[in-house]
Structures are given as C-alpha cells and as structure tokens.
Amino acid sequence: MGNPTGWKPSMEKDAKTTTAAHAEVGAGGATRGIVHEEPLLFERGSTGRSGVSLPAAGGDFDPARELPAALLRGGVEGMPEISELEVVRHFTRMSSWNHGIDTGFYPLGSCTMKYNPKSSEALARLPGFANVHPLAPAELAQGALELMYRLERALSEIAGFDQTTLAPAAGAQGELCGLMLIRAYHQAHGNPRKKVLIPDTAHGTNPASSALNGYEVVQLSSGADGRLHPETVKAAMDEDVAAIMITNPNTLGIFESHIAEIAEIVHAKGGLVYGDGANMNALLGVARPGDMGFDVMQYNLHKTFATPHGGGGPGSGPVGVKAELAPFLPLPAVVKEGERYRLVVDPKERPQTIGKLREFWGNFGMFVRAWALIREYGPEGVAQTGKLAVLNANYLRKLLQGAYNLPYETDSLHEVVFDDKLQKAHGVTTMDVAKRLIDHGFHPPTVYFPLVVSGALMIEPTETESKETLERFAAAMKAIAEEAQADPDAVKAAPTRPFRARLDETRAARKPILRWSPGMKVE
Amino acid sequence: MRYHPHTPEDVRAMLDAIGAESLDALFRSIPQRLRLSRPLDLPPAADEITLFSELRALSARNDTAHPPFVGAGCYAHHVPPVVDQLLLRGEFFTAYTPYQPEISQGTLQALFEWQTFVCLLTGMDVSNASMYDGATATAEAALMATRVTGRSKIVVSAAVHPEYRKVLATYLRSTGDEIATVPFGADGRTDLAALEKAVDGETAAVIVGYPSFLGVVDALPEAAAIAKRAGALTISVTAEAVALGLLQAPGALGADVAVGTFQSFGNPVSFGGPAPGFFALREQYLRQMPGRVCGATVDKHGRRGFVLTLSTREQHIRREKATSNICTNSGLCALAATIHLSLLGKKGLAELARLNYARGRMLKDALGRAGIAPVFSAPAFNEMAFDVGDAEAVVARLAKRGIAAGAPLGRWYPELPKAKGALLCVATELHTPELIELFAQSVKG
Ligand SMILES: Cc1ncc(COP(=O)(O)O)c(C=O)c1O
C-alpha cells in the first residue's frame, strides 16, 4: 500500500517493534488530530434562539383561552435555545469522538459489525417507505405489504423454517417471542412445563427472556471442547423441560455438532429446541437451523443483514418457526390474496396467537434495508457472505495464534475467542489489551464474554473486511502482546489517544448523575 | 460483490495460511448431512440500478402524496433535513452500544442529552437510554410496578392505546399478573368512579394515556390521586409527545413513571417502526428500571465524560435476575429525536405544540362546518374522534382519493355504542389549512 498521507506505515511491516517506537501511528492508522470540547446542549446559556422554521398556525386558536389553565405549562424549562448551525456543530463535534464501522475495523464479537450499505439508507428514505402510515388503508400500502411478504418468504427459506414473524423489535424480543410460542404450544398440549435448559456459553438475554416468560433456567455445562454434549442434555432432560435454547454456532464461534442428537433427546421427551440466531452469519447458504432440529429461531437483522443500529439500536428480530408452532405466531401476518396483500390483525383469524408483541407491525425501516441486501446479494452472494465471514475469522485465528492463548482448539466458524492467560503473567489483562487497541485505531473485540472463558477476547471480523485490514489488526494485537512483556505499564496506561482516558465507572455507579440539571457538577 | 473485498487471490492466500483446501473445508465441523446441498431459493442478485428501480416501484405502490389524517399512535411530522444529515454521520450511524466509552463519547453524550430531554418533557427525575417502542415501554413499566410494590394487579384505562394494551396483555400472560380495564366516560376521559372501584390493595399500577388514544387530555391528576391512596404507582403513557410542549408534564401531575414514544420528534412514520420508546421515572425506583442508562463521570485526568452505568440491573450481568431482557434498544431513533429537540429548543417546541393544537382545532371547525361533530367533549390536543356516520365507509371512500382518513374506533371498541361512526383523525403542522378544508369536504362526501 502506498503512503499518500505521509504517515509511517512501518507498524504492519515490522510488527516486532513495539508501538513505543512508532508512537506516531497505530496499526489501524490512528494518530492524533484536532478534537473539540463541547458542552452539553443545556449548558450553552443562550436565550431566544431556535433552529426551526415553522409556518404560522392560521386561525385564532389560543390554548391559553380555550383550555383550563391547570392543564398548561408555560414552556419546558431547561430546554436549550440555539441556532441551526450551533446544533450542527454540536453533533458534528460529538460524532468525532466516536468510532464506528465507517471509521475503522470493529470486531465486536457476537455483534456482527459489518458494513451498513449506503444504498439501503437511500432506499429506506424513499417517501413511499418513510412516509407510509401503519394504519393507512391496505390499498395505499401495497408496496410495504409486498416487501414484508417477500422478506418473510426469504427469511423462512434462508433459515429453513415454514413461517417467520417479522414483528419482534430486536433479538431479545425475538427470544421472548419464541419462548411464548413454546409456552403456548405446551399449553395447547395441556401443560406449559416449567424449565428451560441453557448452556453456560449463552448470551445473557437467553436466561433473561426465559425468566421474563416465567420459566426456571437450568444451566448446562459445555464440554472441554466448547461444545454441548448429548449426555449432559440427556441427564437434565425431563418432562418438565419446555425447551432447550441453543446458539449455533455458539458464542465461542464453535459449531454445536451434536445438535441433531440433542434435538432428538429433547424432542423424545416432548420438549422443543430454540435457536438463538444471533450467529446466523456463519451459516448463511451453508446450513439451515430448520434442517438441524431447531423448531424456532430468532434472527438479528441488525447483525446478519446489516441494518444500522448506531448507539445501541434499533434492531429487528424476526422469528422463524416450524409448522407446529405457526398457529401461535404473534400478529400481524401479511397474506397474499390473488394479487393483493393484506395484514392479518384480528385474532379471530389466528385464534391461537400469542397476541401482539409491540405496537404496529415491526421495525419496517429495517425490513427495507434487509430486503435490499438480500436482493443485491442473491443466493450466491448470501452464501458467499457466510463463507467469507468464516474465512476471515479463521485467518485472524491463524495470525493471532501463539501471541494469545486460544482456550478452545476446536474449529472456529465466524468468530474466535482468545483470552489473556499469556498477558496476565505480566499483569496485563484483557481490558488493558482492549484499551491499547484503541490507541492503534481499532475498536476492541467483545471482552469478558462468553463467561466460560476467563478474560475472553471475542473477535468477529465479518465478511466485509479485507485481508489487509485483518493483517493490520493482527499486527496491532501482536505489538500489544509484545508490549505487555516489555513494558506492561504502557499497555495499562492505554488508551492515550482518544478524547478521554479511562473513565471512572465505579464513580458513575456510586453517585449516579443520569441527566443534566441546573448547576450540574461532576467531580 | 461490492461489499466483499476478497479477490480470488486473497481467498487462496488466506486458505493456504490457514491450511484449508477450500472455503467448504472451513465448515468441516458441520456434519455433512446437516448442510444445505442446494442453492438458496432466492431471487437472483440485483445490481444497484436494478435494485433501485425495483424498490422505487415497490415504494411507489404506497400512496403517500398527502400527509395522513390518521395518527393513532404514529404521527407524521416535519423532520428538518438537519436531523437526517447529522444522524447519517457514520461515526454515530455505524457505532453500536457504547461498551468502550473512550471511543464512544459522542454516542454517550448524545444519550445523556436524550435522557435529559425525556426528563425535561415528562417532568421525571431519571430516564433510560430508550426502549423498543411505547407499547413495550408500557408493558415493562407495569412489570416494574409489580416488582416495586410486590402486588400483581394492573389497572388500565380503556382509553390507553389498544395496541399498547394488547402488548401489555401478551407480556403479562406468562407472569400471571392480572389486568383490570376501566372504561372511559361519555366525555372521553377515564371513568374515575369506575377507577376508584377497580383500584384496591392488590393494585400495583394505574395506567392512563396522556393524551389518551382518543386524543383526549385525560384526568391524570385525579387518577394519580386514586392510585396514590391505594399505594399503587401511576404510569402515564404518551404517544404524541409534541403535546408535552403545551401540556403540564406528567411528573407534575402525579405520575411516577412516564412512558411512550418520541417518534414525533425526528422520526418518520415508516409504517410504524422503528421509533424511540422512552421510559422515565422517579429516582426512588431507579434500581428497578429496565434497559441501559448513561451516566456522567470523570476520566483519570478528572475531565468529565460519560459511561453506561448501573448495569447490575441488566441481562448481561444479572442474566435471569435482570430487570428486563432488553439489550439492543432504539439508539439511533433516540438520537434523531435528540437532534430534532435541540433544533426546536424551548421556543420551537412551544411553537410546534401550539401549531399542532391550532391545526387540530382547525380540523374540528372545518368538520363542524361540514356538519360533523366530535365524539368526545373533553379537551384535546391535535387528535380527535369525529362522528362521521360510518367510519369504515369514509376510510374506504377517501382511500380512493389517496387519503389515509383516520382510525375507525369500531376496530378497537366494537362494544362502544358510538363506535361505528367514530373516526379518529389528527392534524399536525403538515396539514395546511387548505388541505384540512379539502379533507372536511371529502369526509362529508
Ligand atoms: C448471542 C446473542 N444472543 C442474543 C442477543 C440479543 O440480541 P439483541 O441485542 O438484538 O436484543 C445478542 C446480541 O446482543 C447476542 O450476541
């Protein structure tokens, strides 16, 4: 690669030298630049300004005259009063304190931080999509309904299910939906049952969703190879177990190869198999959960199908089911009648439905983006996505092996989990490694999850990253591993480059300040 | 494939380094019989030009030429272009949950500002970093009330959004908590005598819309007083948050928890989602709050900064003992609302709220001149139910002219004597006086 900006690209060529020798530039290209301090909106102190242009109301309707005085407020105290340019600068400056996928590599394991196509943004903003009201008569919303219908068909095909509900708002709500379906199914067979089996590698939302749905959680230990074993399931399985929740590949990035046998054991006792589909990226076009014994699974469209979720959301968590669970699906559903599409919203048409999970029909804006991506990829592109995601993870695994301890030697699919065992000998922890990566210009991997690995560094590169980016990231990781031996204090002092150094989280929790109020002081 | 940077040479070199024969060999941990042996049955790949013409054609089959006169929990407002341009900055747009605060200060400060806006508008002490939507926020508030009070009965006004009540019922089905629904009176306000009767020593919360689904400014202070006497929490639900620029804050009227959506600020209607659900409450209940929250702190040099905090309530720490299962929320939607509220500011919000009130009144007058009267007499904000004779027929007739006319109340209140004729309509700053007049004439027919 050339060096058009004049920064020293020696870091990736000569990974043996530590960052200290090349403090100018991290392996991810990070260096220093100008960043601006910016107060809170509420601390600007101006009065009388506004950043909007509104029409005159017309007519003579004064609420102060027409409504009881007790109902009215004199204006919202504390609101900022600033002009449009000030607002623009405020948020532009703040954005520069962030690292996004558009800034650099973001290998946050389990979150599938792939590129979010710009085309999808343009498409979701077409007036016909952005401005269509959820209660518009069906004849004014045929395009929206057709898109939902097609997306439902595509998602059912990709994961191998008979039907899919698009309603759930995110992965965790998809889990809750799936568990409600399971409860309704058992209830219809006379007994809702009491327990849900969950392996120790599971994401926290699995037990939380089970508890929210009134089930007792029984945790299962995974084996030395990182997999759940049929004997373990057999020992825990009885007629009180409503379901087992399995993430496949699991959060170690390892395929649960015994899945078919486990499903048989659970089914034999009348239980159902729930799939946490957060890791669906690994399987796209290669294998389908519906063909492995799963009865129900949630997608995370914001992960697998690249819908943006800046700052923590929104998500979308469609749930695919086998035919035996379909009668219980939540409302609405989109049906095609001749050439017309229609929303089914009346429980009379679905007497066994679990009901409604959220207002209206789901996160439609996310449906447009996911559908656009599926259309652009086609069957080959979707399958290639899964394969390249797995290739990238395995390449990184290879590059990092030796520098970091690999707690499980078992094959990886789309992500790989290392730990800090080698660095701990020098007093350097996973958190320190993560913070030092920031100085190099990379977003750190997911840390301290899954819980079965002490000091986990969970790396998920996704398919949209190039070989060179992976190599630069590996160079940074190796440089940090060496620095941990040579100069552990330098690692522990990280990050030194961002706008803020390590923040005092204990203080935040002990004396919570969760909003601005006049005279706010943080010390 | 423009999103896949791998050349065939890259793939070969990477496979060689790994020591794998082929891409398929990377999947050897998946038993052969569990693999898919055929291509997925999906439409063939589309280039960008084809993709755009296809989706443009699809979007054109949604008729959005006129702003909808239907609101009913989802409101078409003007979104200044500034909102979208700032929102689309990749640093905001393509970041995720701010787990690494040093490189997420932009997101975190924006969340802190969102939380502040929610508190200012609702009159509450504390807000979380957003919920999925107003309906799930309502259900989570009810669940929180059962934890706080140790009681299991939820009393909800029939004038709370029917979709929200359905979601509440879905969430509470598996917990075994009881829901008692209290009717509204002839003026559209919650029937306080019936409420008084329904609330007892087992009641965890009273839920009231503000404004209600019927567009009415409901009797929140009176309902809160009843709840308080019984030791229950009061939950106010707001779907049209522009109203909070004109009406007293729910917190000032006795609400303990305020939930709903800020979709009206900065977020398009988008067929009903996504939108920023909000959850605000009095500080004493903080430890039972669901969802993420951002707090202020200092860095090691003493400079102010922000972090996610109080996470011992949450699923990733507490697992089955968490206050909720929520993980991903509505971050970007909350950012859009925050940007819009900063543009509005104190003056702009008050002006927007008065404008919406005025357009609602204009709608009432225009329909009145056409001989069509409101169904309910209680004060309203920008939305009202009108007696149009046969509401479904009017909706069908106006659909032919490309107008989304309103929400026929009969769909949700079949038992209500006046429901057949009742059409719930909204007017916002997007509905010009001319359009309102045209609408009134069209409804008259
Ligand atoms: C394995 C796994 N399961 C479930 C979830 C929950 O999904 P969401 O955040 O969309 O609710 C996540 C991600 O956050 C996850 O990584």
Side-chain angles (χ1 to χ4, degrees):
Chain A
M1 206 169 105
N3 184 14
T5 60
W7 60 265
K8 290 185 184 155
S10 52
M11 182 155 282
E12 66 264 30
K13 258 195 269 152
D14 187 8
K16 287 208 168 58
T17 57
T18 62
T19 43
H22 293 281
E24 304 89 333
V25 182
T31 178
R32 288 176 199 280
I34 289 175
V35 283
H36 301 80
E37 291 285 340
E38 180 68 13
L40 289 163
L41 287 164
F42 315 96
E43 293 169 331
R44 305 189 66 103
S46 60
T47 50
R49 295 180 190 151
S50 169
V52 289
S53 155
L54 292 168
D60 178 25
F61 307 107
D62 182 2
R65 207 173 54 224
E66 301 184 354
L67 294 180
L71 292 182
L72 302 177
R73 80 203 294 183
V76 180
E77 280 316 316
M79 289 281 283
E81 298 182 67
I82 46 189
S83 67
E84 179 169 319
L85 175 58
E86 291 171 295
V87 171
V88 168
R89 279 200 187 130
H90 178 77
F91 288 99
T92 302
R93 288 177 170 204
M94 276 161 49
S95 74
S96 75
W97 308 339
N98 262 10
H99 178 111
I101 301 165
D102 287 2
T103 318
F105 189 42
Y106 207 128
L108 191 67
S110 210
C111 297
T112 317
M113 299 298 286
K114 57 174 74 178
Y115 175 62
N116 298 168
K118 305 295 176 194
S119 284
S120 301
E121 295 314 310
L123 292 168
R125 284 168 177 74
L126 290 172
F129 290 139
N131 298 340
V132 62
H133 192 280
L135 295 174
E139 54 267 56
L140 304 184
Q142 284 295 299
L145 295 174
E146 181 175 341
L147 187 141
M148 287 172 69
Y149 182 85
R150 288 170 171 246
L151 179 64
E152 186 279 327
R153 287 290 81 216
L155 294 177
S156 293
E157 162 68 7
I158 291 168
F161 289 102
D162 294 304
Q163 279 187 48
T164 300
T165 172
L166 302 178
Q173 206 191 23
E175 295 169 20
L176 181 63
C177 170
L179 288 158
M180 286 173 171
L181 299 172
I182 288 167
R183 176 177 282 276
Y185 168 90
H186 287 306
Q187 192 90 60
H189 289 78
N191 176 6
R193 302 194 172 198
K194 297 198 180 76
K195 300 183 285 191
V196 173
L197 308 181
I198 300 181
D200 50 9
T201 46
H203 192 258
T205 49
N206 290 191
S209 300
S210 301
L212 184 53
N213 195 33
Y215 282 118
E216 181 194 324
V217 174
V218 179
Q219 183 165 305
L220 304 182
S221 302
S222 41
D225 60 352
R227 292 192 168 111
L228 185 61
H229 288 271
E231 313 82 78
T232 314
V233 178
K234 199 172 235 161
M237 189 63 208
D238 60 32
E239 256 123 47
D240 276 339
V241 172
I244 189 167
M245 286 184 98
I246 295 180
T247 313
N248 204 9
N250 66 26
T251 62
L252 294 164
I254 295 172
F255 190 77
E256 296 285 7
S257 330
H258 310 295
I259 183 63
E261 206 181 331
I262 290 170
E264 244 168 63
I265 294 166
V266 173
H267 287 149
K269 289 254 159 67
L272 295 174
V273 183
Y274 182 91
D276 177 339
N279 293 342
M280 192 59 206
N281 212 42
L283 302 183
L284 291 175
V286 174
R288 308 193 306 169
D291 300 338
M292 307 172 185
F294 286 102
D295 300 293
V296 43
M297 182 201 92
Q298 107 278 355
Y299 276 100
N300 294 46
L301 292 189
H302 46 300
K303 300 179 178 183
T304 312
F305 293 100
T307 71
H309 44 290
S316 179
V319 171
V321 295
K322 287 302 182 60
E324 78 265 18
L325 288 173
F328 309 105
L329 284 174
L331 296 173
V334 180
V335 293
K336 188 176 182 190
E337 292 164 343
E339 286 312 301
R340 277 192 85 246
Y341 297 88
R342 180 172 70 85
L343 275 172
V344 174
V345 294
D346 190 339
K348 284 198 196 87
E349 289 189 59
R350 285 256 177 120
Q352 290 182 288
T353 179
I354 58 166
K356 289 223 63 185
L357 280 170
R358 48 156 299 141
E359 65 209 38
F360 304 116
W361 327 132
N363 280 344
F364 177 77
M366 305 297 114
F367 304 160
V368 178
R369 294 166 172 94
W371 175 244
L373 190 66
I374 291 171
R375 281 299 292 112
E376 181 157 354
Y377 274 143
E380 295 81 18
V382 169
Q384 192 70 356
T385 294
K387 289 178 184 169
L388 295 177
V390 170
L391 176 70
N392 276 1
N394 278 279
Y395 189 55
L396 265 185
R397 170 174 161 156
K398 186 77 200 172
L399 295 177
L400 294 178
Q401 227 164 338
Y404 289 84
N405 180 57
L406 187 66
Y408 294 93
E409 295 278 346
T410 316
D411 281 8
S412 300
L413 287 181
H414 69 301
E415 66 195 355
V416 56
V417 178
F418 288 94
D419 68 30
D420 57 1
K421 196 167 158 196
L422 303 178
Q423 287 67 41
K424 266 224 170 114
H426 308 280
V428 169
T429 65
T430 281
M431 190 56 82
D432 301 323
V433 173
K435 299 304 182 195
R436 194 57 166 152
L437 273 169
I438 292 173
D439 282 335
H440 278 271
F442 294 110
H443 194 285
T446 290
V447 291
Y448 300 102
F449 179 76
L451 305 176
V452 291
V453 175
S454 156
L457 279 155
M458 184 198 214
I459 306 172
E460 182 183 14
T462 86
E463 72 285 357
T464 58
E465 298 298 335
S466 70
K467 179 167 172 282
E468 299 84 67
T469 297
L470 304 180
E471 287 162 359
R472 278 191 216 117
F473 176 73
M477 287 287 285
K478 286 182 184 168
I480 294 167
E482 289 180 16
E483 196 177 32
Q485 296 177 20
D487 188 4
D489 288 342
V491 182
K492 298 188 83 62
T496 59
R497 284 184 169 160
F499 174 69
R500 288 292 181 263
R502 285 194 208 192
L503 290 133
D504 186 347
E505 307 207 5
T506 312
R507 196 222 154 279
R510 216 168 30 216
K511 288 192 261 167
I513 302 177
L514 307 176
R515 57 169 290 188
W516 168 88
S517 41
M520 167 181 159
K521 263 212 185 85
V522 190
E523 289 157 336
Chain B
M1 182 31 69
R2 58 176 161 165
Y3 309 136
H4 295 159
H6 305 69
T7 64
E9 295 73 31
D10 289 341
V11 172
R12 192 64 262 160
M14 293 165 83
L15 286 171
D16 287 348
I18 295 164
E21 272 294 291
S22 62
L23 286 174
D24 283 337
L26 296 173
F27 293 87
R28 64 180 183 186
S29 60
I30 307 183
Q32 197 64 46
R33 71 197 163 87
L34 300 186
R35 294 202 216 165
L36 186 66
S37 53
R38 60 168 175 83
L40 288 168
D41 181 14
L42 297 172
D47 62 89
E48 189 170 45
I49 294 168
T50 309
L51 176 70
F52 270 69
S53 72
E54 197 177 296
L55 267 81
R56 263 199 206 102
L58 207 52
S59 76
R61 296 180 54 214
N62 298 327
D63 190 337
T64 56
H66 297 294
F69 280 86
V70 55
C74 187
Y75 299 93
H77 286 286
H78 176 65
V79 180
V82 173
V83 173
D84 221 28
Q85 294 200 23
L86 290 171
L87 189 71
L88 279 169
R89 286 192 66 90
E91 302 89 332
F92 282 133
F93 208 67
T94 66
Y96 195 20
T97 306
Y99 294 122
Q100 297 289 342
E102 300 86 353
I103 45 170
S104 310
Q105 285 299 305
T107 289
L108 284 160
Q109 182 165 329
L111 285 177
F112 192 83
E113 292 175 343
W114 150 266
Q115 290 170 189
T116 303
F117 275 127
V118 172
C119 290
L120 292 176
L121 266 67
T122 59
M124 287 291 162
D125 301 328
V126 181
S127 150
N128 77 6
S130 77
M131 301 295 282
Y132 299 141
D133 65 358
T136 56
T138 304
E140 293 262 20
L143 290 173
M144 189 189 86
T146 64
R147 293 193 298 272
V148 165
T149 60
R151 301 173 177 184
S152 64
K153 181 173 164 187
I154 303 295
V155 177
V156 59
S157 163
V160 167
H161 199 304
E163 293 260 330
Y164 289 27
R165 286 185 288 121
K166 283 183 194 171
V167 173
L168 177 69
T170 307
Y171 269 67
L172 262 53
R173 191 161 303 131
S174 35
T175 62
D177 298 312
E178 180 199 345
I179 301 173
T181 307
V182 173
F184 46 84
D187 67 350
R189 274 187 287 223
T190 302
D191 180 337
L192 293 171
L195 183 68
E196 185 86 63
K197 241 195 243 149
V199 173
D200 58 25
E202 255 317 293
T203 304
V206 169
I207 310 181
V208 186
Y210 185 76
S212 76
F213 179 68
L214 308 174
V216 157
V217 185
D218 210 335
L220 180 57
E222 293 83 351
I226 293 171
K228 191 161 189 188
R229 279 201 294 280
L233 304 193
T234 300
I235 300 168
S236 77
V237 179
T238 303
E240 173 49 294
V242 173
L244 299 179
L246 178 70
L247 303 176
Q248 269 300 354
L253 301 180
D256 300 294
V257 187
V259 293
T261 173
F262 269 25
Q263 176 268 325
S264 286
F265 300 118
N267 285 273
V269 292
S270 187
F271 211 42
F278 71 86
F279 196 110
L281 74 183
R282 296 195 191 279
E283 188 147 21
Q284 69 207 86
Y285 308 121
L286 175 59
R287 305 277 160 173
Q288 287 298 334
M289 181 171 74
R292 299 198 176 106
V293 65
C294 166
T297 188
V298 290
D299 77 356
K300 69 177 189 190
H301 307 302
R303 297 173 297 189
R304 183 172 77 189
F306 301 90
V307 292
L308 291 180
T309 190
L310 303 177
S311 53
T312 50
R313 301 164 296 111
E314 289 184 72
Q315 47 76 27
H316 64 281
I317 309 276
R318 265 305 193 60
R319 299 178 79 85
E320 65 268 26
K321 297 200 174 62
T323 54
S324 167
N325 68 332
I326 191 170
C327 180
T328 293
N329 53 28
S330 301
L332 275 177
C333 308
L335 176 60
T338 303
I339 297 169
H340 192 189
L341 281 162
S342 343
L343 288 167
L344 285 164
K346 185 175 179 182
K347 237 174 69 181
L349 178 60
E351 200 181 324
L352 180 67
R354 290 170 67 99
L355 178 53
N356 272 263
Y357 173 80
R359 292 285 161 86
R361 283 285 287 104
M362 199 175 280
L363 178 68
K364 181 178 165 190
D365 280 11
L367 284 165
R369 284 194 302 277
I372 295 163
V375 177
F376 304 111
S377 55
F381 177 58
N382 61 355
E383 192 168 23
M384 275 158 271
F386 294 95
D387 184 0
V388 299
D390 182 345
E392 292 288 357
V394 169
V395 168
R397 184 156 50 76
L398 267 71
K400 293 207 173 64
R401 305 179 60 171
I403 295 171
L409 290 186
R411 289 183 195 170
W412 295 283
Y413 301 97
E415 71 293 344
L416 189 73
K418 297 185 276 193
K420 188 170 185 292
L423 185 65
L424 186 67
C425 304
V426 71
T428 75
E429 73 281 3
L430 293 179
H431 300 89
T432 60
E434 299 73 39
L435 186 63
I436 288 171
E437 194 55 44
L438 177 90
F439 176 73
Q441 292 311 316
S442 312
V443 171
K444 187 179 168 199

